[in-house]
Amino acid sequence: MPIGRRRNRIDRSLRERGVPPEPQVREREEVGTSGPWDAADAPDDGQLRIDLGALRLPALAGMELRVDVNAQQQVVGASLRYGDSLLQLSVFAAPRAAGLWDEVRVELARGAAAQGAQLTEVDGPFGRELAGTVVLPTAPQPGETAPTMVRRPARFLGVDGPRWFLRGMISGPAATGPEAGLPLEQAFRGVVVVRGTGPMAVREPLPLTLPAQAAEQVARQQAAGRTTGRAASPIPPDASA
């Protein structure tokens, strides 16, 4: 999918000679990509993808899909787990003629530093990214009343698409080196974003939905008295065939 920014081009020499210029033509400076993809240019690669509404996530063997939902069964987060590593995904509405990643990268680095994290801007397979460590909560253990904060390796990835911005955070062992990160990088590269045509405020999260199996699991959890929950679904070994 071509992803790029638009710019106006006007022949100044014609203006200087007093000749009215032709109507402006908005052109897109195109940069090729091998993913993530916009729905309009999604590849016909035979890859099975899990439909979460605004996101279609590749079903890769050995990975587990997790979705976080609120009391209204609205999806507020999606992630793919691979061993002890996690790829957390978020997708937002973006301006038509400019991207968000340059701004978001600065904000993430500043916010992380305020929480004791250490992130450095580096070049990665998807362009500029942030790499280092973050401080994250772990689930409370039996007898504990509050989560324990731990420092974990992390990478923040960002891609600006046509009117959308996709952010990914890889945490755990997969964030420690190029080889370790390949499986989750492959998953990030295979994501398809479905922006939709409706107007949305810049940075507004694109709506996510639950797959049928996960919706049933969350309904059972809520019937048992849990108002919020996480649905986890292992991806079958043959799902990517």
Side-chain angles (χ1 to χ4, degrees):
M1 174 194 67
I3 295 178
R5 297 185 178 181
R6 298 178 183 271
R7 68 179 183 183
N8 296 331
R9 293 180 177 175
I10 300 176
D11 191 336
R12 296 182 180 275
S13 63
L14 292 177
R15 179 182 296 171
E16 292 168 355
R17 296 200 304 268
V19 179
E22 294 292 329
Q24 295 184 25
V25 177
R26 298 180 67 84
E27 297 181 355
R28 178 181 292 273
E29 294 181 346
E30 296 186 350
V31 179
T33 181
S34 57
W37 306 91
D38 184 75
D41 300 288
D44 185 13
D45 55 7
Q47 172 68 63
L48 177 65
R49 288 178 170 85
I50 303 168
D51 189 350
L52 296 180
L55 289 177
R56 296 174 186 165
L57 305 187
L60 301 177
M63 294 193 183
E64 178 184 76
L65 169 66
R66 296 189 172 191
V67 287
D68 294 312
V69 298
N70 59 19
Q72 291 73 43
Q73 292 196 31
Q74 297 171 325
V75 181
V76 294
S79 59
L80 291 172
R81 177 171 291 279
Y82 182 72
D84 292 329
S85 298
L86 199 66
L87 169 62
Q88 296 172 278
L89 295 160
S90 304
V91 63
F92 307 90
R96 184 180 299 274
L100 291 176
W101 183 221
D102 288 345
E103 299 175 10
V104 171
R105 213 165 51 242
V106 174
E107 295 167 4
L108 283 172
R110 185 183 299 123
Q115 298 176 6
Q118 299 174 346
L119 294 174
T120 303
E121 191 166 312
V122 298
D123 287 320
F126 304 96
R128 299 297 285 174
E129 64 178 63
L130 294 172
T133 61
V134 294
V135 179
L136 298 173
T138 61
Q141 299 299 313
E144 295 180 346
T145 58
T148 302
M149 306 302 290
V150 297
R151 185 177 296 276
R152 284 171 64 85
R155 293 168 56 194
F156 287 91
L157 317 174
V159 171
D160 290 306
R163 300 177 65 212
W164 54 260
F165 166 64
L166 177 66
R167 187 185 72 197
M169 183 182 78
I170 297 176
S171 60
T176 59
E179 294 296 327
L182 286 177
L184 289 180
E185 287 178 7
Q186 179 186 1
F188 187 73
R189 193 180 299 280
V191 171
V192 173
V193 177
V194 185
R195 165 62 173 82
T197 58
M200 297 184 68
V202 172
R203 298 200 183 202
E204 180 180 352
L206 299 189
L208 301 178
T209 57
L210 280 171
Q213 181 181 0
E216 293 173 1
Q217 179 178 342
V218 171
R220 290 194 299 269
Q221 292 172 347
Q222 293 182 337
R226 295 176 58 182
T227 57
T228 60
R230 165 173 289 170
S233 176
I235 297 174
D238 59 348
S240 59

